[in-house]
Amino acid sequence: MEKQLQRSRAVLPIGTVMKLTTLSARQIRYYETQGLIKPARNAGNRRQFSLIDVDRLLEIKDYLDEGFNMTEIKRVYEKQAKRQEKEHKDLEKPVTDEDVRHALHNEFLSIAGLKHWHSSSFPSDDLSKK
Amino acid sequence: MEKQLQRSRAVLPIGTVMKLTTLSARQIRYYETQGLIKPARNAGNRRQFSLIDVDRLLEIKDYLDEGFNMTEIKRVYEKQAKRQEKEHKDLEKPVTDEDVRHALHNEFLSIAGLKHWHSSSFPSDDLSKK
DNA sequence: GCCTCATGTCATAAGATATAACATGAGGCG
DNA sequence: CGCCTCATGTTATATCTTATGACATGAGGC
């Protein structure tokens, strides 16, 4: 069933993350207080990171190297979160017949040369992946 | 450069491995005493596992479920190690001009109908890569 | 019943991590 | 130049996690 370490599985202690990111424990904890990451906690209150957390930390490192400060980086991720939230909702409710009819309707109008489609719900989807 | 957690990177503490394998610390340590795994150690003598170790532990679990005992499982891995060792050596020293000349020589003889090639150095290269 | 194997459980020591407080160097700025 | 803020380092104390070794135990084999 589950093969490898899924990226979202929170099982890594801070020591491991330190090695994987070359960040100090102080830095990692500070970024958490700034809301940049939210590692899970185990029964003993130890932080448990996922590979997604590790990736984000590496990104944060890059941003910092490029001169961003905590607040700016936080904004980047808040925006990202909003985008994904929308994206998620769009996937949540699958296309209904109603949607299809409206789409077709607009399609016809467009073909008819009336090109009436009011700038609707398609975000320009930032493809800059790194 | 290095993107994700390379499978051979030993950075996982035993607690993480317990979760990933659902094995008890006792079991993991016991398998180590039996020579089935050889996790690295950090400066503080803590075991450091790699994803390869995790995979092997999952395999061991399967073998045990199928009724194998430690000794038998050990034999499986020893044999596997020998195979890989040979494979490795074959890759180590690349083909020399000398080798090529001999190969050609045998080729000619073979064509000449004498088919005299004494089973020399070319392993049949097991391609069963699972 | 006696043995072995794989594992559980306990005790003790030492490494790892959490939190909080104080310290500091680099910039920004009146 | 003093004063502030930001990102991090450092230290101290408490608690969790892991290592080792010893003893315990249930399932099989004989």
Side-chain angles (χ1 to χ4, degrees):
Chain A
M1 210 83 288
E2 51 152 308
K3 184 49 190 173
Q4 210 55 42
L5 209 179
Q6 310 97 303
R7 311 178 48 64
S8 64
R9 186 107 182 257
V11 292
L12 309 176
I14 202 168
T16 298
V17 177
M18 289 172 65
K19 283 180 195 153
L20 294 178
T21 62
T22 67
L23 288 170
S24 69
R26 183 69 170 84
Q27 288 175 299
I28 297 172
R29 296 192 196 111
Y30 180 61
Y31 302 159
E32 183 185 8
T33 69
Q34 300 306 298
L36 293 182
I37 50 174
K38 310 184 184 31
R41 297 288 183 125
N42 69 7
N45 195 37
R46 263 54 194 172
R47 270 166 268 252
Q48 299 277 266
F49 300 82
S50 70
L51 286 179
I52 291 178
D53 292 324
V54 173
D55 284 346
R56 171 160 293 202
L57 286 169
L58 290 172
E59 272 183 35
I60 292 171
K61 223 177 73 163
D62 285 346
Y63 280 129
L64 288 173
D65 284 347
E66 289 169 30
F68 287 68
N69 64 28
M70 293 294 114
T71 318
E72 295 167 324
I73 300 177
K74 197 184 313 183
R75 270 204 291 274
V76 169
Y77 287 127
E78 276 166 1
K79 191 174 195 176
Q80 220 165 78
K82 261 178 229 157
R83 260 205 303 271
Q84 291 193 358
E85 196 182 298
K86 184 167 195 335
E87 206 175 283
H88 184 56
K89 258 189 261 174
D90 287 347
L91 290 181
E92 272 304 76
K93 75 171 158 56
V95 186
T96 67
D97 289 352
E98 188 73 2
D99 292 332
V100 174
R101 254 181 284 121
H102 283 157
L104 286 177
H105 181 64
N106 285 337
E107 189 69 15
F108 284 137
L109 291 181
S110 147
I111 288 175
L114 294 179
K115 50 183 8 195
H116 161 78
W117 71 64
H118 55 160
S119 69
S120 67
S121 45
F122 280 88
S124 63
D125 208 352
D126 182 7
L127 288 188
S128 64
K129 196 59 183 182
K130 133 128 71 8
Chain B
M1 210 80 284
E2 51 151 305
K3 184 51 190 170
Q4 210 55 42
L5 209 178
Q6 311 98 302
R7 309 179 51 64
S8 64
R9 185 109 182 256
V11 291
L12 309 176
I14 202 169
T16 297
V17 177
M18 289 171 65
K19 284 180 194 154
L20 294 178
T21 61
T22 68
L23 288 170
S24 69
R26 183 70 170 84
Q27 286 174 301
I28 297 172
R29 296 194 194 110
Y30 181 60
Y31 302 159
E32 183 185 7
T33 69
Q34 300 305 299
L36 294 183
I37 50 173
K38 310 185 182 35
R41 297 288 182 125
N42 69 5
N45 195 38
R46 263 54 195 169
R47 271 167 266 253
Q48 300 276 266
F49 300 81
S50 70
L51 286 179
I52 291 178
D53 292 323
V54 173
D55 284 346
R56 171 160 293 201
L57 286 169
L58 290 172
E59 271 183 37
I60 292 172
K61 223 177 76 165
D62 286 346
Y63 279 130
L64 288 173
D65 285 347
E66 289 169 31
F68 285 68
N69 66 26
M70 293 294 114
T71 318
E72 294 167 323
I73 300 176
K74 196 183 315 185
R75 269 202 292 273
V76 169
Y77 287 126
E78 276 166 0
K79 190 176 198 175
Q80 219 166 75
K82 258 177 231 156
R83 259 205 302 273
Q84 292 192 358
E85 195 181 301
K86 185 169 193 334
E87 210 172 281
H88 183 59
K89 257 189 262 175
D90 287 346
L91 290 181
E92 272 304 75
K93 76 170 159 55
V95 185
T96 67
D97 288 354
E98 188 72 2
D99 292 331
V100 174
R101 256 180 283 123
H102 284 156
L104 285 177
H105 181 63
N106 285 337
E107 190 68 14
F108 284 136
L109 291 181
S110 150
I111 287 175
L114 295 178
K115 49 185 10 210
H116 161 79
W117 72 66
H118 56 160
S119 69
S120 67
S121 44
F122 280 89
S124 61
D125 207 353
D126 181 9
L127 287 190
S128 63
K129 197 57 182 181
K130 154 135 32 24

